[in-house]
Amino acid sequence: PIFQLGAVSAKLDQVFPKGPDACTSTRILSGLASKHSIDMAFCALSWHQVNQYEVNRYHYSALLNACARAEAWTKALQLLSEMHHRMLEMDTVCFNVAISACEKSGEWEAALQLMKSLAQSQLQFDTITFSAAISSCEKCSKWEQAVHLLFAMMQSTLELDTIIFNATISACEKGSEWERAWELHIAMVQHNIEMDTITVSAMVGACEKCRKWKRALQLLGMMVDGKMQLDTITLSAAISAGEKCCEWEKALHLFSVMVQLSVELNTITFSATISACEKGKEWSKALHIFSMMARDSVRPNTITFGAAISACEKGG
């Protein structure tokens, strides 16, 4: 805003009548961006430019980092464009920060376009480049793009890690691509990449969406064998997979395991278990589990009520 620009300019004129040196300018821009707002930092940048004080790539880098933290992806793109126009040196880190800003804002197309620009600038991708771009695709359920990026990374000399595989598997889970998620799990084994709870949870989620009950159980077995902590999300997804495949007894068994292990039960857990009882025409079990929600202070939703009522109807 013009008023804010005027206020910032007046204050800087008062403190630095002859202009700050380059290092002080970097501190000013970084400080304003972190302690106040990005808009004020941009006003300070404009003040430098209007007064023809030195503006270098370190100043732009400070603002780029602030944009990534604030998810201000359009401003990050604006800064890169200005750097190019002013013929300031841009490196992979600058592009990575801008890609990260796009990733945090869910702007996967902008993130991939920045990767193209990075390549056109004859700069090299690094692990952070791929990680941020894959994560942006995962957030927007763009599993094909995420898998393509991972395969491109696998063909390079860059080091693969659990986080990158997890993001790609999660993208496949959101796209209900359980077979692709399973292939990626095999690739992790082949590349000696350690799986964690997030890996298995995403894979179980993919199996649940595609009604692959046996695969979900197999994955739970892998968690137990690998001494991974069984969590609410993973077990709830497995129960839901059992419910969708009419395996109500096994779904109830998993529910019992959660209770025995004191794993937190949430609305999704209860709803899936009650729905499994409904499909098994076990109305008394459905009502018992429904009553447990009040005990655990878990609020039922429309799905929970619908499953409980349907179980009673089928039970006569």
Side-chain angles (χ1 to χ4, degrees), residues 33-310:
S34 60
K35 295 180 181 179
H36 298 278
S37 72
I38 288 182
D39 287 333
M40 290 184 69
F42 269 77
C43 288
L45 179 65
S46 297
W47 174 79
H48 279 78
Q49 295 167 340
V50 168
N51 289 284
Q52 297 184 337
Y53 296 139
E54 180 186 357
V55 178
N56 59 40
R57 73 186 188 95
Y58 298 106
H59 303 150
Y60 277 93
S61 293
L63 285 182
L64 276 170
N65 281 302
C67 288
R69 289 194 298 270
E71 303 179 17
W73 69 279
T74 54
K75 290 186 181 295
L77 296 185
Q78 176 187 334
L79 289 169
L80 282 184
S81 177
E82 286 187 19
M83 290 182 75
H84 178 73
H85 179 73
R86 292 175 175 274
M87 294 186 289
L88 295 176
E89 181 185 356
M90 291 189 289
D91 57 14
T92 301
V93 174
C94 291
F95 279 97
N96 284 351
V97 174
I99 291 171
S100 180
C102 294
E103 175 261 322
K104 291 177 181 177
S105 303
E107 295 292 334
W108 69 275
E109 291 177 302
L112 296 190
Q113 185 57 50
L114 283 172
M115 286 192 73
K116 291 182 180 178
S117 298
L118 193 158
Q120 291 168 355
S121 300
Q122 297 184 329
L123 296 171
Q124 297 294 317
F125 298 142
D126 61 16
T127 302
I128 297 173
T129 314
F130 279 102
S131 181
I134 288 173
S135 184
S136 70
C137 294
E138 179 268 329
K139 287 185 176 179
C140 299
S141 304
K142 298 298 178 181
W143 70 270
E144 290 177 297
Q145 288 80 1
V147 170
H148 174 76
L149 288 169
L150 179 60
F151 283 173
M153 190 176 179
M154 290 168 68
Q155 292 170 4
S156 72
T157 57
L158 295 174
E159 184 177 355
L160 299 163
D161 61 22
T162 304
I163 294 173
I164 289 172
F165 269 99
N166 284 353
T168 313
I169 290 172
S170 181
C172 293
E173 181 262 326
K174 290 180 178 178
S176 300
E177 290 289 331
W178 78 271
E179 289 178 305
R180 184 66 73 177
W182 195 267
E183 289 172 2
L184 291 174
H185 137 254
I186 293 173
M188 290 183 76
V189 174
Q190 293 172 341
H191 286 84
N192 295 317
I193 305 296
E194 183 178 359
M195 288 184 287
D196 58 16
T197 303
I198 296 172
T199 317
V200 182
S201 180
M203 291 174 63
V204 171
C207 293
E208 178 264 328
K209 285 185 171 69
C210 300
R211 302 172 183 267
K212 297 299 177 181
W213 162 250
K214 291 182 179 179
R215 291 286 190 181
L217 279 186
Q218 186 178 346
L219 288 165
L220 289 181
M222 287 169 52
M223 291 188 75
V224 173
D225 293 341
K227 297 182 180 179
M228 299 181 195
Q229 184 175 358
L230 295 168
D231 62 354
T232 304
I233 296 174
T234 309
L235 286 169
S236 295
I239 290 172
S240 182
E243 174 266 320
K244 289 180 178 178
C245 296
C246 298
E247 295 283 352
W248 67 272
E249 291 176 307
K250 292 186 175 65
L252 275 178
H253 174 70
L254 285 177
F255 180 82
S256 299
V257 169
M258 292 184 73
V259 174
Q260 291 168 7
L261 296 177
S262 298
V263 178
E264 182 183 359
L265 307 173
N266 61 19
T267 304
I268 296 173
T269 315
F270 280 106
S271 296
T273 309
I274 293 170
S275 185
C277 293
E278 177 262 331
K279 288 187 176 178
K281 299 181 180 180
E282 293 289 335
W283 66 272
S284 60
K285 288 184 173 62
L287 289 183
H288 172 68
I289 292 168
F290 185 82
S291 68
M292 291 173 62
M293 297 186 76
R295 183 200 68 185
D296 293 351
S297 300
V298 179
R299 181 175 295 181
N301 59 18
T302 305
I303 297 173
T304 321
F305 279 114
I309 292 170
S310 180

